[in-house]
Amino acid sequence: LAKQYAAAIAAAVRLPGAVLQTEIMRGPSRLQIGTTTVTTLQFGNQVIAFISNAPYNTDDLEPGIIDEAVSAARELGIELMLVDAHNSIGGQNCQQPSLDWRRIFHDIGASPDQEFRVGVAHSSELQFEHGSDISDGGLTALVIRKHEETYALITSDSNNAAVGLRQTVMDELKKENIDLIELCTSDTHNSAARYLTSRGYSALGEDSDRDTLVTAIKKLAKLAEAR
């Protein structure tokens, strides 16, 4: 399945004129529900929803939350991709609030359809030195532009992120007139238990120098924006 998926993606990006294509999207739309931030993007009947409890501690989503989201999406004819941003550890604990998924889907559905362009950049393109908190997949910036608005989705092959890092990335990108969609970590266990910390791993921003990390993210966002 992984080979089929990779082959399909490779074939898609090789299509003549693919770089010049424009498509239609809705969002990003952001709702704050208690301690939880839900950010959504919609492409046709497909909705991507990112969930973050930052700056509170973020653990894996409870199965009940996933079931509720999938059930509400199915009733509304929505194909849902649910992303646990997994992007805050080291702060206070919180109880995951109940999420009104029909309200969330209605909110993104009420956003206007707009054309967009997309660009991407990866840390392998930079001279980026990092610590044990980033695994083999590195950092990626995916940038979306709609008219005069620019948004960035930042991902790291890491197991969670240090408390406060998400806000720092958001603030620094804002200085470049780029709004953060979300900072997401892959929840990798590639480096787990190799480093003697109380939880068995170093979260993003705990081992790598934070200033270097944020600078790399900003460079990647600008590279992707230019594409």
Side-chain angles (χ1 to χ4, degrees), residues 182-199:
E182 197 53 87
L183 170 67
C184 297
T185 63
S186 63
D187 195 17
T188 180
H189 285 247
N190 190 39
S191 58
R194 297 184 186 182
Y195 305 95
L196 297 178
T197 66
S198 60
R199 67 178 90 91

Side-chain angles (χ1 to χ4, degrees), residues 157-178:
D157 192 15
S158 301
N159 196 331
N160 223 314
V163 65
L165 180 61
R166 172 181 178 268
Q167 187 63 50
T168 299
V169 170
M170 186 179 294
D171 293 342
E172 290 300 311
L173 287 177
K174 193 67 177 177
K175 294 177 183 177
E176 306 293 332
N177 295 315
I178 299 174

Side-chain angles (χ1 to χ4, degrees), residues 39-193:
T39 306
T40 49
L41 307 171
Q42 184 165 358
F43 307 88
N45 72 331
Q46 297 178 326
V47 172
I48 308 175
F50 303 90
I51 296 181
S52 172
N53 288 331
Y56 296 94
N57 282 337
T58 301
D59 205 347
D60 294 338
L61 292 177
E62 297 177 3
I65 294 174
I66 299 172
D67 291 342
E68 291 173 2
V70 171
S71 176
R74 186 181 295 115
E75 289 179 13
L76 297 173
I78 290 171
E79 183 180 336
L80 176 65
M81 290 164 277
L82 186 59
V83 181
D84 180 358
H86 213 256
N87 61 4
S88 184
I89 195 75
Q92 294 181 333
N93 293 323
C94 71
Q95 185 173 358
Q96 176 73 56
S98 177
L99 301 177
D100 185 346
W101 285 100
R102 286 166 183 79
R103 175 192 171 194
I104 293 168
F105 295 142
H106 179 270
D107 184 74
I108 184 62
S111 299
D113 278 326
Q114 293 179 308
E115 289 187 346
F116 73 97
R117 292 183 182 274
V118 63
V120 66
H122 186 261
S123 56
S124 60
E125 302 176 76
L126 306 177
Q127 291 182 334
F128 174 56
E129 296 183 1
H130 60 80
S132 64
D133 50 349
I134 301 177
S135 193
D136 300 344
L139 299 173
T140 302
L142 187 146
V143 169
I144 295 172
R145 175 175 288 164
K146 295 172 28 176
H147 300 294
E148 301 302 320
E149 300 171 336
T150 307
Y151 304 91
L153 173 63
I154 307 299
T155 64
S156 178
D157 192 15
S158 301
N159 196 331
N160 223 314
V163 65
L165 180 61
R166 172 181 178 268
Q167 187 63 50
T168 299
V169 170
M170 186 179 294
D171 293 342
E172 290 300 311
L173 287 177
K174 193 67 177 177
K175 294 177 183 177
E176 306 293 332
N177 295 315
I178 299 174
D179 289 321
L180 180 69
I181 296 173
E182 197 53 87
L183 170 67
C184 297
T185 63
S186 63
D187 195 17
T188 180
H189 285 247
N190 190 39
S191 58

